[in-house]
Amino acid sequence: MNLGTICFMLAKHPEAYEKLYIEVYSAAIQTTGDIQQLPYLSGVVRESTRMSLTNPCRLPREITAKGWNFQGSYYPPRTTVSCSAYEMHFLHQIFPEPHAFRPERWAAASSDMHKVMMPFGLGTRQCIARTMAMYQMHLALYELVRADCFRGARPAKQRIEISETFNAKVIGGAIDIVW
Ligand code: HEM
């Protein structure tokens, strides 16, 4: 879903792809670790991850036996509380024009931007593979750009529509790109 969204966004925004292509081709990459240091490529991965809603549903947590006081409200033991990536990733106070694809917003990311990002969940039950998944996305994108895959590409549809389950289900079953 995340890689599909990256491909969709680059096909939809050729100006972003051009910028990324120039960065990738002018970089002196010695090790795979260097790829994660490419600022625009990293911005493309982060921005796509913000918008892709791979797990769009709420991630519930149960209040422990002590109960919980939070911002003037008391939550009794065993209350279920939750929030979702959909709520957090599109907060317009933190991501102005939240539905716009802007990899450059990550160049000077505020601490609030990092704080509200939860593509892999948050806390003790967050995804155990988040570092590996982010690493793989950087590598995959780097190779796709090296092969100039997005030259002349455009998305078959203007939007990605999903239905909400734990794992997003793309309506129509595919994110299609045409050349
Ligand atoms: C981009 C790829 C991935 C995304 C977006 C993702 C997202 C998530 C999310 C949202 C959760 C729930 C976290 C929560 O409740 O706070 C989760 C949990 C989990 N993920 Fe991932 N995941 C990804 C890749 C992977 C991979 C590759 C693996 C295994 C190799 C993996 C293993 C797990 C496991 C075991 C949990 C349960 C952790 C727990 O309950 O303690 N994930 N993931």
Side-chain angles (χ1 to χ4, degrees):
M1 185 70 196
N2 279 318
L3 269 179
T5 305
I6 290 174
C7 295
F8 174 90
M9 290 300 178
L10 291 174
K12 192 172 177 185
H13 300 280
E15 70 296 341
Y17 178 57
E18 197 53 41
K19 211 168 160 181
L20 178 60
Y21 183 84
I22 290 168
E23 182 184 76
V24 163
Y25 267 87
S26 50
I29 300 296
Q30 305 287 330
T31 66
T32 51
D34 294 342
I35 293 169
Q36 280 182 294
Q37 306 305 320
L38 295 174
Y40 198 71
L41 184 137
S42 197
V44 168
V45 172
R46 281 176 198 283
E47 186 70 343
S48 305
T49 306
R50 178 182 75 81
M51 298 177 81
S52 87
L53 299 179
T54 304
N55 305 97
C57 66
R58 67 202 183 97
L59 299 173
R61 302 291 194 259
E62 195 177 278
I63 303 291
T64 58
K66 289 181 187 162
W68 185 41
N69 281 304
F70 180 65
Q71 294 189 349
S73 298
Y74 174 69
Y75 298 83
R78 305 210 57 195
T79 309
T80 299
V81 294
S82 66
C83 68
S84 67
Y86 179 72
E87 291 162 81
M88 306 307 278
H89 292 186
F90 292 87
L91 286 169
H92 62 87
Q93 308 90 319
I94 294 179
F95 300 104
E97 293 189 61
H99 292 276
F101 176 71
R102 288 201 191 135
E104 56 281 1
R105 70 168 97 229
W106 292 97
S110 66
S111 56
D112 279 349
M113 285 166 70
H114 290 295
K115 195 170 158 191
V116 301
M117 278 289 279
M118 50 175 290
F120 298 98
L122 284 173
T124 53
R125 301 310 297 267
Q126 69 178 296
C127 182
I128 58 163
R130 59 180 297 171
T131 308
M132 186 186 80
M134 286 300 278
Y135 177 71
Q136 288 180 331
M137 282 193 283
H138 280 76
L139 251 60
L141 176 57
Y142 178 78
E143 292 299 339
L144 287 167
V145 178
R146 289 288 301 177
D148 203 12
C149 282
F150 300 102
R151 183 81 45 207
R154 64 184 166 79
K157 288 186 189 165
Q158 283 306 296
R159 305 178 63 187
I160 302 172
E161 288 184 277
I162 57 170
S163 56
E164 184 191 338
T165 56
F166 177 72
N167 289 317
K169 193 167 187 292
V170 177
I171 294 170
I175 300 169
D176 285 326
I177 290 170
V178 290
W179 282 262

